[in-house]
Amino acid sequence: MDEMNTVGTLYIVATPIGNARDMTERGRQILETADIIAAEDTRRSVVLLNKLGIRGNQLSANHKFNEYGKAKWFIEQLRQGKSVAVITDAGTPCISDPGNELIRAAIDAGLKYVNNDACYPSITAVGQLMEAVTSGRYDTDHLALIMSQTGGCCRASNYIAFIRRALKKAGLEHIPVISLNANGMETNEGFRISPSLLLDAAHGIVLGDLLMRCLYRVRPYELEKGSANALHRKWRDICIDSLTSEHPKYRYAQLCRGIVEDFDALPIDETLKKPRVGVVGEILVKYMPLANNHVVDLLEREGAEAVVPDLLDFFAATIYEQDFKHTHLGKGWTASASAKFGIPALQRMRRPAIEALKASKRFDPPMAINHVAELAKPFLSIGNQYGEGWFLAGEMAELITSGTPNIVCIQPFACLPNHVVGKGVIKALRAAYPGANIVAVDYDPGASEVNQLNRIKLMLTAAQRALHAQEATPKKPQPPEAPSISLPHPKVAML
């Protein structure tokens, strides 16, 4: 999904230590399209770029003698919407090479408005909005911000207050902040979500899930590097046009079928076997490459196939658990009704995507939310609803029982509910499913990327070992199938 983040993006690009042909295709594409390349030594970098057939006129020196002052300039270029690629003479930047100051400056720009004791998603969300507002790309006199507000003990309920405080600190308190909520926490005069807009948003989530599911399934096995991403961009643009056009070329069901059929036909290496690794955890860190340090790219570079459950399932879980609130927690009958009518409505809306996946040869449809809930119940009550609650345990059980025993459970360091319902059930899951290979990884502005990488690599080592052992185990010969004999039904006397 990181293909969509092309404006004002900071890329950390590893360069070959020896042969220039070791450069990855994605790294070459980034260097070719970046507005600015921040290079440790421009003299060495221009040699590499010439070998790769890339013009080096966008090179800018970024070394230990100028990095402190140059970091501010790079941040300003990012705020203006330009893309910056950071490289060193050889290897990956930012461990001990110049570039660390640039990364630190980008994080500090977000921390300028939110204290570090807040959870990582709040720092990330507020920082992104404030970066956009202060970038000069928008007329702040004709601008409004919108943010979801969940309620309950999650600090997501405080995002609105964080944003308003940040705007006031920046002298932009005249910009209105709209709360998008379903529980009446705030009302916004003059702002209404029409049924057609709500339906388009739901269709957008389904199509996004479908693109993600298909892309991650085939990209590790593509015969032509970049072909999966190219197909993803093609259908992404078609979907955007269909959702925003008054007279779309394709209907919603046609989009679902077209996406699956095209990815089903993409040439891949059908003989190649890689360990499948699921990604679960807190919703923002789980889906945002910026927040999880591009964990999907990391898994694919290390020889795995990433499996990320659908975003729509999170909303389905939120609706499903309303009946529990009515039955056990004193909520009104409307809560139960929203579950009993809402879940079938979601299923009907999702049906074209499910049918397309079932008809494919490569892709599996997502599990129904009531089945996910049944898998979660041996580990957590449905009453565990803070953070990702019971749903997080259910997703891990779903992955394990559907052929993905390797899991990265990621959460912000300060998200206490997710530490309980995530880390807290891993031991029980391993006991129930002996083949489960689960690692918990924390993400935070101050978290060590080296530690994150090491934990994930250890999990992948165990995953590769299990895959090789499975392939080495000889299959037992199956006995010949007995001939089918038709016998008359026996008569049974009822006493």
Side-chain angles (χ1 to χ4, degrees), residues 326-395:
H326 167 68
T327 306
H328 300 281
L329 304 178
K331 292 282 285 187
W333 65 268
T334 55
S336 178
S338 67
K340 291 177 179 177
F341 292 102
I343 295 299
L346 276 183
Q347 291 172 339
R348 285 194 298 273
M349 188 266 298
R350 203 183 198 179
R351 187 175 297 152
I354 300 295
E355 290 177 349
L357 291 169
K358 285 182 176 179
S360 71
K361 61 182 180 181
R362 293 176 179 164
F363 310 111
D364 299 316
M367 187 178 290
I369 193 61
N370 56 315
H371 295 160
V372 177
E374 290 301 318
L375 288 175
K377 286 178 181 178
F379 308 100
L380 284 176
S381 164
I382 303 300
N384 286 277
Q385 298 181 4
Y386 287 133
E388 266 54 35
W390 62 270
F391 178 59
L392 182 50
E395 273 196 322

Side-chain angles (χ1 to χ4, degrees), residues 22 43 69 101 241 467:
D22 292 336
R43 295 167 299 180
E101 288 300 317
D241 180 69
L467 181 63

Side-chain angles (χ1 to χ4, degrees), residues 149-171:
Q149 200 170 15
T150 60
C153 75
C154 180
R155 275 177 276 197
S157 302
N158 298 320
Y159 285 8
I160 299 293
F162 279 145
I163 295 168
R164 287 171 179 157
R165 177 180 176 273
L167 289 171
K168 185 176 182 180
K169 190 175 181 179

